[in-house]
Amino acid sequence: MDKMKRMKELVKILKEASKAYYQEDREIISNFEYDKLYDELVQLEKETGVVLAGSPTISVGYEALDELPKEAHESPMLSLDKTKDVEELRAFIGEQKSLLSWKLDGLTIVLTYRDGKLMKAVTRGNGTVGEVITGNAKVFKNIPLHIAYQGELVLRGEAIITYSDFEKINKQIEDVDAKYKNPRNLCSGSVRQLNNEITAKRNVNFYAFSLVKAEGVDFYNSREKQFCWLKEQGFDVVEYRVVTGKTLDEAMNYFAKQVSQNDFPSDGLVVLYDDIAYGESLGSTAKFPRNAFAFKWKDEIRETTLKEIEWSASRTGLINPVAIFEPVELEGTTVSRASVHNISIMKELELGIGDKIQVYKANMIIPQIAENLTRSGNLNIPKICPVCKKEARIIKTNEVEALYCMNDECQAKKIKAFTLFVSRDAMNIDGLSEATLEKFILKGFIKDFGDIFEIEKHKDKILSMEGFGQKSYDNLILSLEKAKHTTLPRVLYSLGIANIGLANAKLICKAFQYDIEKMIVAKEEEISRIEGIGPVIAKTYTEYFADEEKLKKFRHLLSHLKLEEVKKEENSVLEGKQFVITGSVTHFANRAELKEEIEKRGGKVTGSVTSKTHYLINNDTTSNSSKNKKAKELGIAILSEDDFIKMAGI
């Protein structure tokens, strides 16, 4: 095969896989496969002397998302060069005193302290720009909010969630599809929450691994002295051993034995030169610093035989292939099944019943198929859903093929609709978990949303159900009574109409003065004219209410509800004004609360600065952030919270 053509293919595959993993918290190829393809690309780049634009060997990390404010790092955060060969690691160390520590598998965070207080926390992001998560960092389990040192301190470390907390949190999630795949995904979602109350409940830990700046402190040219000083300031520092090339084996043996007993996730080790000046004098490549090196554990791989593929239907309609194989011992436990994730991966592996396959545990946790030695490819992809027995079809999205159930009435999809309906932002009904909803649906207690409020008809049968006593029943009835008193936007959102979230539901209700009858008969053109509502949303909205059966069920639901009367805000000073909020807030609990105050007064909040924006709210009015720059270019006023409070008359 042409080397340049292969390199282009590899760059495309690896970029998509990296985006899925880091930015969307999903996995389209296994870690084993990623490393294999990455190494192949590195080798081809050496052979050709060419590094293509966008190659993951020169780009770092993932792009920051828009949900959190972005900020550039003072100095770029590079990845580490890595090896699985102990002798290569030994050669790197040579005679230099070095620190060998865990390579933790979480989310890298940069902390800044001034005057003894935590001022800022930023995620690694793409290595140049990260997301500001200061409010979340303040509720990490072990971060000191005040320290003795009064100068400016900048340090880096890893935010992680332990295996025990990961398992505890996953046990509380009854919906199988909503469970987190590994501690890293859980940590990533927890650290980047918009509401730090959720972060606080997740027991996120922070372990320092690098001191970037501490003005006026003499560390005697030693990284170890920096670690010791950080401990004195109240930080937990990543566990390490002092090594040279000659003493490396003893430390490696310790870490190799300890890794299986750890309650925290790690995917290898890091070695760092102790001599600060020497390490910095080496500089860095475009991607890697030359003063540190990473060691990745060799995966424990076992050969086994594929017995069958189990097709598992989810609440989204996605039907996942799950490989069932002869049980093998991996990392101290017996495993016999592994998710194949999607049809693309199944085809790539050319799986067939009876094939000899190699399996391993990604990061010593999640069973995966590393390789198919036989590659018979004799599997038949089902054409019917395993739940409803109706049509199943392969759909290709972003070059990834996956199997979906096409039946809107599929039981799995019904559960999804009811789960949204009872969720906090919709009808907010406590006591109806997804597992309970599934039982009620299967027993025929609820067929449409209105039936939920008639559940008392089935009181005797419910009380006889396992795990559902009188107290649980009474609490459910109280919750239903409370849920009957709600708002029209919540009801509209709860219907699960495609692309209509709570914000869009509010816009539609407001446009029709909360007149339900006008909203039901509205034409597509009328909905499209609402600012912020496009033709796609207008089409799905009008199609929903044009369906007589859906309209009948909607009226059935309304018959049980007592909608709050909408009062016109006396203070409409923000009517027609469009705002963008960025950065952290202090006067409000969070940015969502500030957004609510704006909307109450007739204003609108969007995510990006455009020519339609009237005001940008940012407490750091003089910063050079991208949003501030854009606002200045467009002549848009930048307000602090105090400025906004005066304007709104709060």
Side-chain angles (χ1 to χ4, degrees):
M1 183 186 238
D2 178 76
K3 288 182 179 180
M4 197 62 66
K5 183 180 178 183
R6 179 58 177 163
M7 286 167 64
K8 288 178 180 178
E9 286 177 358
L10 289 169
V11 168
K12 184 171 183 288
I13 294 167
L14 292 170
K15 279 179 70 177
E16 288 174 356
S18 185
K19 181 186 176 187
Y21 185 75
Y22 286 106
Q23 191 169 335
E24 301 165 1
D25 289 336
R26 62 190 181 92
E27 188 172 68
I28 58 175
I29 64 174
S30 68
N31 290 341
F32 183 94
E33 183 69 3
Y34 185 95
D35 285 347
K36 189 170 75 170
L37 296 178
Y38 184 97
D39 291 342
E40 183 185 348
L41 179 59
V42 169
Q43 185 58 39
L44 286 170
E45 287 176 347
K46 284 180 182 175
E47 291 173 12
T48 61
V50 174
V51 179
L52 297 169
S55 170
T57 65
I58 57 164
S59 60
V60 183
Y62 67 98
E63 293 297 323
L65 302 173
D66 289 330
E67 284 91 340
L68 292 163
K70 299 174 186 177
E71 183 168 305
H73 297 297
E74 287 186 24
S75 57
M77 298 182 66
L78 303 178
S79 296
L80 295 179
D81 202 355
K82 63 182 184 292
T83 183
K84 292 185 179 181
D85 185 349
V86 175
E87 293 311 312
E88 189 175 355
L89 193 67
R90 193 192 311 279
F92 172 83
I93 297 169
E95 296 181 1
Q96 287 289 327
K97 175 186 174 184
S98 302
L99 307 182
L100 184 68
S101 63
W102 296 112
K103 184 174 181 293
L104 300 175
D105 191 22
L107 205 66
T108 301
I109 308 291
V110 185
L111 302 181
T112 301
Y113 287 77
R114 294 191 194 100
D115 302 321
K117 296 178 183 177
L118 174 63
M119 299 300 294
K120 187 167 59 180
V122 184
T123 66
R124 180 181 184 279
N126 65 0
T128 304
V129 177
E131 298 167 305
V132 180
I133 49 101
T134 312
N136 293 342
K138 287 179 178 178
V139 297
F140 283 4
K141 198 173 178 182
N142 64 336
I143 280 187
L145 299 180
H146 298 268
I147 59 174
Y149 176 67
Q150 296 296 299
E152 183 174 52
L153 166 65
V154 181
L155 70 151
R156 296 170 181 169
E158 198 82 354
I160 64 165
I161 287 178
T162 63
Y163 288 130
S164 52
D165 281 328
F166 165 72
E167 289 166 5
K168 196 183 300 176
I169 291 165
N170 254 358
K171 279 180 183 175
Q172 295 167 1
I173 303 172
E174 296 190 24
D175 175 8
V176 173
D177 297 317
K179 288 181 185 288
Y180 292 92
K181 288 184 168 57
N182 54 55
R184 187 204 171 277
N185 281 4
L186 173 58
C187 184
S188 176
S190 302
V191 167
R192 295 153 66 205
Q193 286 287 333
L194 295 180
N195 181 354
N196 69 355
E197 287 182 23
I198 298 172
T199 309
K201 294 174 184 175
R202 299 286 176 80
N203 287 339
V204 179
N205 285 274
F206 175 86
Y207 290 91
F209 60 66
S210 175
L211 192 153
V212 180
K213 181 197 293 185
E215 296 167 344
V217 182
D218 187 354
F219 295 111
Y220 302 96
N221 196 38
S222 169
R223 294 290 182 191
E224 186 178 18
K225 290 282 195 301
Q226 289 183 338
F227 277 16
C228 293
W229 183 81
L230 285 172
K231 286 180 183 179
E232 290 173 5
Q233 299 299 314
F235 294 97
D236 285 334
V237 174
V238 63
E239 183 186 13
Y240 68 90
R241 290 285 187 274
V242 177
V243 298
T244 63
K246 291 178 180 177
T247 63
L248 177 63
D249 291 337
E250 185 181 345
M252 290 295 290
N253 288 337
Y254 164 77
F255 284 113
K257 288 176 183 175
Q258 189 64 30
V259 67
S260 60
Q261 301 171 36
N262 287 342
D263 190 30
F264 56 83
S266 67
D267 54 1
L269 303 171
V270 173
V271 69
L272 174 68
Y273 291 140
D274 181 64
D275 188 320
I276 298 172
Y278 173 71
E280 289 180 349
S281 73
L282 299 175
S284 63
T285 67
K287 183 175 173 66
F288 308 121
R290 291 194 173 98
N291 67 340
F293 209 71
F295 174 84
K296 292 198 76 174
W297 304 111
K298 287 185 178 177
D299 297 302
E300 184 180 342
I301 297 176
R302 293 284 181 269
E303 189 175 309
T304 183
T305 303
L306 182 64
K307 292 167 64 179
E308 62 174 301
I309 291 288
E310 181 183 282
W311 297 93
S312 175
S314 74
R315 63 187 175 87
T316 61
L318 178 66
I319 304 172
N320 285 312
V322 179
I324 312 297
F325 45 81
E326 293 289 348
V328 289
E329 287 288 323
L330 273 178
E331 311 291 354
T333 62
T334 302
V335 295
S336 59
R337 53 195 293 128
S339 173
V340 186
H341 301 294
N342 54 53
I343 302 300
S344 290
I345 292 176
M346 195 181 82
K347 286 181 176 179
E348 176 68 27
L349 288 167
E350 298 179 83
L351 292 175
I353 305 305
D355 284 359
K356 291 294 180 186
I357 60 174
Q358 292 179 331
V359 294
Y360 74 109
K361 277 189 179 178
N363 292 339
M364 300 180 152
I365 310 168
I366 311 297
Q368 304 276 351
I369 297 176
E371 185 58 89
N372 180 8
L373 304 176
T374 310
R375 292 188 171 269
S376 68
N378 65 24
L379 284 178
N380 292 318
I381 299 168
K383 294 182 179 179
I384 61 170
C385 169
V387 175
C388 66
K389 309 303 179 188
K390 297 294 174 66
E391 182 193 5
R393 189 186 304 165
I394 295 174
I395 296 175
K396 193 172 187 177
T397 308
N398 295 327
E399 302 303 313
V400 175
E401 289 184 319
L403 187 65
Y404 286 89
C405 172
M406 305 309 295
N407 175 22
D408 287 338
E409 296 301 311
C410 179
Q411 206 77 343
K413 291 185 180 181
K414 280 188 176 182
I415 294 165
K416 175 196 173 186
F418 281 104
T419 302
L420 170 66
F421 181 80
V422 304
S423 65
R424 187 178 62 182
D425 287 340
M427 298 302 290
N428 194 21
I429 302 173
D430 289 330
L432 281 179
S433 66
E434 185 157 318
T436 301
L437 283 168
E438 186 173 7
K439 289 173 186 174
F440 285 2
I441 292 168
L442 290 172
K443 287 183 179 292
F445 297 166
I446 51 177
K447 295 182 177 66
D448 63 48
F449 298 140
D451 290 341
I452 289 178
F453 296 96
E454 298 171 6
I455 207 71
E456 287 176 280
K457 291 178 182 177
H458 310 285
K459 178 180 178 180
D460 292 340
K461 290 179 181 176
I462 291 172
L463 289 173
S464 67
M465 289 169 58
E466 187 180 346
F468 222 101
Q470 185 68 48
K471 187 176 180 182
S472 299
Y473 176 81
D474 290 342
N475 287 339
L476 174 58
I477 297 303
L478 284 172
S479 183
L480 288 170
E481 283 302 316
K482 185 180 175 184
K484 287 179 182 179
H485 299 266
T486 188
T487 65
L488 187 56
R490 278 178 173 269
V491 176
L492 185 57
Y493 167 60
S494 75
L495 299 177
I497 303 171
N499 303 312
I500 295 184
L502 191 55
N504 286 335
K506 286 177 182 176
L507 289 175
I508 294 169
C509 291
K510 187 177 177 183
F512 290 94
Q513 291 82 47
Y514 290 78
D515 187 320
I516 294 174
E517 295 308 316
K518 285 182 181 178
M519 289 167 60
I520 288 171
V521 298
K523 302 296 182 188
E524 201 172 313
E525 299 76 30
E526 291 179 88
I527 304 296
S528 291
R529 282 200 296 269
I530 301 170
E531 189 176 354
I533 305 291
V536 174
I537 295 174
K539 189 172 189 295
T540 56
Y541 176 89
T542 51
E543 282 178 351
Y544 185 92
F545 287 109
D547 186 315
E548 288 187 17
E549 189 61 30
K550 285 178 177 155
L551 183 56
K552 180 182 173 184
K553 289 176 180 178
F554 176 59
R555 292 197 183 279
H556 178 214
L557 168 62
L558 288 177
S559 70
H560 291 286
L561 304 179
K562 297 169 185 175
L563 299 178
E564 289 179 14
E565 198 174 321
V566 180
K567 294 178 182 177
K568 178 77 174 172
E569 277 287 337
E570 289 180 16
N571 181 359
S572 297
V573 67
L574 307 182
E575 190 73 44
K577 301 298 182 185
Q578 191 162 299
F579 292 77
V580 173
I581 307 168
T582 189
S584 55
V585 293
T586 54
H587 293 290
F588 299 91
N590 48 46
R591 287 191 291 166
E593 186 176 280
L594 173 54
K595 179 183 176 185
E596 194 173 326
E597 290 297 327
I598 292 170
E599 290 175 345
K600 265 194 212 174
R601 290 161 176 76
K604 181 183 175 185
V605 178
T606 62
S608 55
V609 177
T610 69
S611 58
K612 293 183 179 179
T613 305
H614 294 95
Y615 300 101
L616 171 65
I617 299 176
N618 184 359
N619 279 324
D620 192 352
T621 56
T622 60
S623 82
N624 288 318
S625 69
S626 58
K627 283 180 179 166
N628 274 27
K629 285 179 181 176
K630 186 73 173 176
K632 288 171 185 173
E633 285 172 14
L634 296 172
I636 294 163
I638 303 172
L639 308 178
S640 67
E641 269 181 282
D642 290 329
D643 296 331
F644 167 76
I645 287 167
K646 287 175 188 173
M647 171 193 282
I650 296 175

